[in-house]
Amino acid sequence: MLKLPSTNSLLTFISAAQTASFAKTAKLLCLTPAAVSQQIKQLEEQLDVSLFQRSKQGVELTQAGQQYLYTAEQVVEKLKQGYASLRQLKQQDIFTLHAFPSVATKWLMPKVLDAMQADPELEIRVEASHSHIDFNLSNCDACISFGEQEESLNHQLIFQDNVSLVASPTLVNEQLAKSLNTLLTLPMIHIDWGDDNQFLPGWKEWLRAAGYQEKEPNKGPQFNLSSMAIEAAIQGKGLLLGQDLLIQNELKSGQLIKLSPITLPLKKAYYLIYPDRTKDKLAAMQFIKRLSSDS
């Protein structure tokens, strides 16, 4: 009977190939260098090939080692996918939804709490991060995405947002009776979305739309999260181009006020995206339907 390599030996081999050092691999895997060397030696004996060329400078993959590295990585990837699938089966009653931190905090969470209050049996788990979700490796059932993703996934348009000029009434209270010229001398809060900045209208675009083609944006606090920028605006730290759907509660409560009718649309829409397997979860599809109707 064919004796297959252990998962530990494959993981050790992959790490050693990536680091080109048994010592570094030992540190990463919390093993001794001798234990790493022994695992690699046993794997080589089992395969009847030399996977590494050893030297005082470290280790280097042989031609056989380079070829086997691809196989080992594929095997480990398949094991990860299998584990993720098992986790999904164990969590059939839980709807796991991924969203960007600001969208989760400012827009999604109130809807989740309302849905769970209306249906106490409904269990929703929200994961908030900027990471891209690979549904083959994740137990997430759906994600709220800025823009579309792979065609193989199900897409449902949630909303197309706009930005509006807002500020705390404590910042502009004495300025309200004056002109927009005066307001635009105040500090401006900036949001940096990295690669997605091109899709978020910034101060230069808004100023041009308002007729201030020659004006440069004022300096002010800068954040990579919209929720942090909104909090800074509430505290009176400057003017903000706030996303309308993320500042609804702040506008209703009077923590922020709109200062101009000029709005600019984001250049991408938000979508609810999910794989076909999510359709098998009745509770998940009910919440997706509710989320879409509330948008």
Side-chain angles (χ1 to χ4, degrees):
M1 182 177 180
L2 178 63
K3 185 178 180 182
L4 297 174
S6 69
T7 305
N8 285 340
S9 66
L10 291 178
L11 291 172
T12 302
F13 166 63
I14 292 171
S15 180
Q18 292 171 342
T19 62
S21 168
F22 287 175
K24 290 180 180 178
T25 295
K27 188 174 182 181
L28 286 172
L29 301 181
C30 299
L31 299 171
T32 65
V36 170
S37 180
Q38 182 64 22
Q39 283 198 34
I40 298 298
K41 183 179 179 181
Q42 289 176 351
L43 181 60
E44 289 177 323
E45 290 175 352
Q46 189 174 358
L47 298 173
D48 194 24
V49 294
S50 293
L51 299 172
F52 292 99
Q53 291 178 346
R54 279 84 163 168
S55 70
K56 293 181 179 180
Q57 287 72 37
V59 294
E60 183 179 352
L61 285 172
T62 62
Q63 185 176 353
Q66 293 173 358
Q67 182 175 332
Y68 191 67
L69 177 61
Y70 174 78
T71 300
E73 288 176 334
Q74 292 293 105
V75 168
V76 171
E77 187 68 20
K78 288 294 184 182
L79 288 172
K80 288 180 180 178
Q81 291 179 13
Y83 177 66
S85 297
L86 290 176
R87 289 186 65 191
Q88 291 160 11
L89 287 175
K90 291 172 66 176
Q91 298 182 4
Q92 281 296 315
D93 297 330
I94 303 174
F95 177 41
T96 303
L97 180 59
H98 176 274
F100 298 115
S102 297
V103 173
T105 303
K106 295 295 184 180
W107 183 80
L108 179 61
M109 280 309 299
K111 299 179 183 299
V112 169
L113 296 176
D114 286 346
M116 293 181 70
Q117 184 174 7
D119 182 3
E121 298 299 317
L122 183 61
E123 188 171 355
I124 302 173
R125 177 180 297 157
V126 176
E127 295 181 355
S129 79
H130 284 104
S131 61
H132 174 78
I133 293 299
D134 183 342
F135 288 106
N136 291 320
L137 301 177
S138 170
N139 65 331
C140 277
D141 298 300
C143 74
I144 295 177
S145 170
F146 184 52
E148 299 181 72
Q149 292 188 17
E150 294 86 352
E151 292 184 1
S152 60
L153 298 171
N154 298 281
H155 288 66
Q156 202 159 310
L157 178 66
I158 295 295
F159 58 79
Q160 174 76 57
D161 210 358
N162 304 285
V163 297
S164 300
L165 179 64
V166 298
S168 166
T170 60
L171 176 67
V172 300
N173 189 43
E174 297 179 1
Q175 310 283 349
L176 284 177
K178 301 181 181 180
S179 67
L180 187 58
N181 286 332
T182 306
L183 288 172
L184 294 180
T185 63
L186 295 170
M188 294 176 177
I189 298 171
H190 300 265
I191 302 174
D192 182 4
W193 276 6
D195 293 341
D196 281 330
N197 250 14
Q198 57 182 313
F199 307 111
L200 177 68
W203 281 108
K204 286 187 177 181
E205 292 175 78
W206 192 92
L207 288 168
R208 285 199 299 269
Y212 293 82
Q213 285 84 356
E214 304 302 321
K215 179 174 173 54
E216 288 295 316
N218 301 338
K219 292 182 179 180
Q222 181 170 311
F223 304 94
N224 71 330
L225 292 180
S226 297
S227 56
M228 295 170 65
I230 292 169
E231 184 58 34
I234 292 172
Q235 294 181 22
K237 303 303 181 183
L239 304 174
L240 173 68
L241 293 179
Q243 288 182 244
D244 289 345
L245 285 168
L246 302 188
I247 58 173
Q248 293 179 87
N249 292 334
E250 287 75 14
L251 291 173
K252 288 178 183 178
S253 66
Q255 291 176 294
L256 294 176
I257 55 175
K258 285 195 176 186
L259 303 174
S260 169
I262 298 171
T263 63
L264 295 177
L266 274 67
K267 299 180 183 68
K268 280 186 179 181
Y270 286 87
Y271 292 86
L272 186 65
I273 295 177
Y274 55 94
D276 285 340
R277 61 174 166 78
T278 300
K279 296 177 182 179
D280 296 331
K281 283 191 173 184
L282 179 60
M285 296 309 297
Q286 287 177 340
F287 182 72
I288 287 174
K289 183 177 180 181
R290 178 184 181 127
L291 200 61
S292 301
S293 63
D294 287 347
S295 301

